[in-house]
Amino acid sequence: GQQLNQSPQSMFIQEGEDVSMNCTSSSIFNTWLWYKQDPGEGPVLLIALYKAGELTSNGRLTAQFGITRKDSFLNISASIPSDVGIYFCAGQLTGNQFYFGTGTSLTVIP
Amino acid sequence: GAVVSQHPSWVICKSGTSVKIECRSLDFQATTMFWYRQFPKQSLMLMATSNEGSKATYEQGVEKDKFLINHASLTLSTLTVTSAHPEDSSFYICSARETGLVWQPQHFGDGTRLSIL
């Protein structure tokens, strides 16, 4: 199946700093999703995006659906230690076709 | 919010054993569920799409006879790893999407860690 390119692969930041990560694809997606996964657990949905250009916030998280529909980014403002985890983007082509990004591992240093 | 329950959380068994993993949607009906496999520090790879009342759709390279999927009700899908071998050891995660809402996101279970000795 398809895989989305996510960058950076890993990040080490100081508590309080802002974080930005992005996801790109050669394919056009109809929906973009961002998930966070803690070790040994399933991914948890953070933000869902349904329209090109859409900018959506969820607390300190902001995500945008790229205008070309081939990319998306996620920003986390004022990071805190509990933001640690692996963040995955996911693109949806049709109702049953979801593809995940390669993941961004985030470490927040207190 | 939507909750997906996966059972068991962890399985350790001998090579040659068949292992069944259950995925249940607890507060919604799911015509479609999905099964993923995840190796350490890697992304989720879709194995198959489970359709209630019909055959599952498998991704290229996934052996249908090895990974049996049954979706007998609107709230339950099972994945059976038949004659498991050490190379089948992995983290298996299911997800479900609420029936009738095509563009609703998938909600994930907490995964099953399978270790074959």
Side-chain angles (χ1 to χ4, degrees), chain B residues 2 6 13 23 32 35 44 51 54 61 68 78-81 103 105 116:
Chain B
Q6 200 169 331
C13 58
C23 181
T32 305
W35 287 96
L44 289 78
N51 304 299
S54 64
L68 299 178
T78 60
L79 169 69
T80 301
V81 184
W103 300 110
I116 308 298

Side-chain angles (χ1 to χ4, degrees), chain A residues 4-26:
Chain A
L4 310 180
N5 297 313
Q6 199 170 332
S7 66
Q9 186 175 0
S10 60
M11 302 180 74
F12 295 82
I13 60 167
Q14 293 284 341
E15 183 177 358
E17 289 183 347
D18 296 343
V19 173
S20 184
M21 61 189 78
N22 66 71
C23 200
T24 60
S25 171
S26 57

Side-chain angles (χ1 to χ4, degrees), chain A residues 37 40-42, chain B residues 36-38 89-93 110-113:
Chain A
Q37 186 178 26
E41 298 184 12
Chain B
Y36 294 84
R37 184 172 181 176
Q38 185 179 32
S89 298
S90 188
F91 192 52
Y92 292 86
I93 309 176
D110 277 338
T112 297
R113 185 160 303 284

Side-chain angles (χ1 to χ4, degrees), chain A residues 44-89:
Chain A
V44 173
L45 180 67
L46 299 174
I47 293 179
L49 303 159
Y50 299 103
K51 284 185 185 178
E54 179 181 352
L55 185 71
T56 298
S57 293
N58 178 9
R60 294 178 297 106
L61 278 61
T62 302
Q64 185 159 28
F65 191 143
I67 200 73
T68 65
R69 293 166 62 192
K70 292 184 178 181
D71 60 355
S72 178
F73 73 76
L74 174 71
N75 283 345
I76 305 173
S77 63
S79 59
I80 59 178
S82 61
D83 290 334
V84 165
I86 300 179
Y87 292 80
F88 289 103
C89 62

